[in-house]
Structures are given as C-alpha cells and as structure tokens.
Amino acid sequence: MKKAIITVVGRDTIGILAKTCAYLAKNNINILDISQTVVQDYFNMMMIVDARKANKPFEKIGAELTRLGLSLGLEIRCQKSEIFEKMHRV
C-alpha cells in the first residue's frame, strides 16, 4: 500500500472537507483515516490516504493539493507516510 499523509490547516470556511475529498476521489485516492478539529475558527485536518491507484504521480498530486489550499486560503501538505513518520519520530 502506498500511504500518504495529508494535512490541512487554516481559517475555517465552508467546503474545505468537500473540496479536498472531491479532489482525492477524482484522482483515485482512497481515504483510510481522517481526523479534523476546529478551534476558535481555525481548521485542522489530518488524513491518511492510500495513493496506490492514483492516476497522477505523487509529486503532481502534492503540487495540486498545495494550489487547492492556496485557492481556499489554507495550507495543504501531502507527504509520503515514510517521510512523515521519520520527521515526527520522537
């Protein structure tokens, strides 16, 4: 399985989850787990996804998610799970 971690952070607004999930579905990326919170108008979401059947290279998906985030006034990051785990190891 080719797992990735997607994080979304920024001011809460209508449609963040819908637009992010629509992008993933359009690109054959399956959501395995998701957590989201809103604290004083700030939105925070973390997704673990399976990108094994993605119809684009990983780098292109990451760039497009970054652009989607910018269009929504958010920061969206997509990292391979191995890199994320090594960066956040205590």
Side-chain angles (χ1 to χ4, degrees), residues 5-23:
I5 309 298
I6 297 172
T7 55
V8 181
V9 178
R11 283 216 175 257
D12 190 27
T13 187
I14 295 170
I16 297 171
L17 182 60
K19 290 174 185 172
T20 305
C21 291
Y23 174 86

Side-chain angles (χ1 to χ4, degrees), residues 1-4 29-34 47-51:
M1 184 177 306
K2 187 176 171 185
K3 288 185 185 177
I29 299 169
N30 187 40
I31 298 167
L32 301 173
D33 201 355
I34 184 171
M47 305 170 119
I48 300 172
V49 299
D50 179 358

Side-chain angles (χ1 to χ4, degrees), residues 38 42 66 76:
V38 178
Y42 287 94
T66 297
I76 300 180

Side-chain angles (χ1 to χ4, degrees), residues 15-86:
I16 297 171
L17 182 60
K19 290 174 185 172
T20 305
C21 291
Y23 174 86
L24 297 175
K26 179 180 174 184
N27 289 283
N28 295 324
I29 299 169
N30 187 40
I31 298 167
L32 301 173
D33 201 355
I34 184 171
S35 172
Q36 70 175 31
T37 58
V38 178
V39 178
Q40 294 186 8
D41 296 327
Y42 287 94
F43 181 87
N44 184 30
M45 177 169 62
M46 180 175 169
M47 305 170 119
I48 300 172
V49 299
D50 179 358
R52 181 181 41 196
K53 295 181 182 178
N55 54 17
K56 294 179 183 173
F58 184 83
E59 292 73 21
K60 185 167 183 155
I61 290 166
E64 289 178 352
L65 283 168
T66 297
R67 282 194 297 275
L68 173 63
L70 290 173
S71 74
L72 297 171
L74 305 164
E75 181 181 340
I76 300 180
R77 296 185 66 194
C78 182
Q79 299 175 300
K80 293 180 180 178
S81 63
E82 308 88 54
I83 294 170
F84 185 88
E85 289 169 8
K86 287 181 182 176

